[in-house]
Amino acid sequence: ESATLVYILFPIIQILDNSQLIKSQKEIISQTLNAMKSQNLKDMAKQLYEKLQDKIPIIYSSKELSVITKYWKQQININSKVPCFTGVFSDVAYTELNSYTKNQWDFYLVFIRDQQDSKEVIKSMSTAKKIIKNKNHGTTEIMIKGSNKLSRLMSCAYIADFVSYFLGEYYSIEEDLVEKYRIEFKKI
């Protein structure tokens, strides 16, 4: 299921474009593909996956990028069978950050940043990272880049695809349990 988003989304956009239901997106798609090729996204994913080994990932972003944090969670859950949690700023309460003080679990926090994040979000993330680092949990900040929102989202999704794939290999995940769970839930 990894890396299917590009293969599903772009043909749909092209169909809508060809049907003249939306204005031409050729330039945006071209920019998006160039952004995904020009950045070393696979290497970024490898570096992050090494940090996430044997950890519980928590993915944070702004509210505007909440769809991408959910995508990360889904990809990590599906492809590597690892629990993953998400949060958005500024909904993240400092009581939530305080929960990291016990160090009972080995969390690793990923902060997904966008060049268009508000000053409030930037300040909140910076403060949160300081608090978490003081509690001996690792953090990584990913600044997504691109000339348009689609290129930034797709680049970030591409990193999630590779991170989840590499984690799946690390944990030797071969069998897809999702279908087994679907069958069990249908029995209910």
Side-chain angles (χ1 to χ4, degrees):
E1 293 189 34
S2 184
T4 58
L5 185 59
V6 171
Y7 296 108
I8 293 171
L9 181 63
F10 288 176
I12 292 171
I13 292 172
Q14 191 63 52
I15 290 168
L16 294 171
D17 187 357
N18 291 344
S19 303
Q20 298 179 343
L21 294 172
I22 60 173
K23 66 180 186 174
S24 178
Q25 302 297 308
K26 286 181 173 75
E27 184 63 29
I28 290 174
I29 290 173
S30 177
Q31 291 171 352
T32 300
L33 291 172
N34 287 336
M36 291 173 70
K37 290 176 187 173
S38 66
Q39 300 177 60
N40 210 350
L41 302 177
K42 191 173 182 180
D43 287 340
M44 289 172 64
K46 269 189 180 173
Q47 291 171 8
L48 180 56
Y49 127 82
E50 290 171 355
K51 295 174 183 176
L52 289 174
Q53 293 174 357
D54 302 314
K55 310 262 190 250
I56 300 171
I58 304 176
I59 315 298
Y60 285 112
S61 73
S62 64
K63 283 183 185 180
E64 291 76 19
L65 294 177
S66 64
V67 68
I68 204 69
T69 59
K70 290 175 186 172
Y71 183 79
W72 274 70
K73 177 184 179 358
Q74 178 184 12
Q75 290 301 93
I76 290 172
N77 290 158
I78 290 171
N79 296 326
S80 59
K81 312 299 186 258
V82 171
C84 180
F85 302 96
T86 63
V88 295
F89 283 90
S90 45
D91 287 351
V92 174
Y94 289 98
T95 53
E96 179 178 337
L97 296 174
N98 196 37
S99 68
Y100 299 124
T101 59
K102 287 196 169 215
N103 288 333
Q104 290 176 301
W105 302 279
D106 206 358
F107 294 117
Y108 194 92
L109 289 84
V110 178
F111 294 89
I112 299 174
R113 291 271 326 279
D114 183 24
Q115 59 198 34
Q116 295 183 345
D117 282 342
S118 70
K119 289 180 183 178
E120 177 186 332
V121 167
I122 293 168
K123 188 174 181 177
S124 294
M125 281 190 185
S126 177
T127 301
K129 282 184 358 188
K130 287 177 190 172
I131 291 169
I132 292 161
K133 278 187 177 181
N134 287 337
K135 305 303 176 194
N136 296 319
H137 295 292
T139 65
T140 291
E141 181 176 294
I142 296 174
M143 175 62 82
I144 56 174
K145 298 176 184 174
S147 57
N148 60 64
K149 190 164 189 163
L150 182 63
S151 66
R152 294 191 300 275
L153 290 174
M154 294 306 295
S155 294
C156 194
Y158 201 61
I159 295 169
D161 290 338
F162 276 114
V163 166
S164 68
Y165 171 78
F166 294 140
L167 283 171
E169 282 190 331
Y170 174 75
Y171 293 116
S172 300
I173 302 301
E174 295 175 19
E175 186 177 351
D176 188 3
L177 299 176
V178 174
E179 190 57 36
K180 287 183 180 181
Y181 294 147
R182 283 186 188 135
I183 291 169
E184 289 299 314
F185 278 102
K186 284 181 181 180
K187 293 178 183 177
I188 297 175

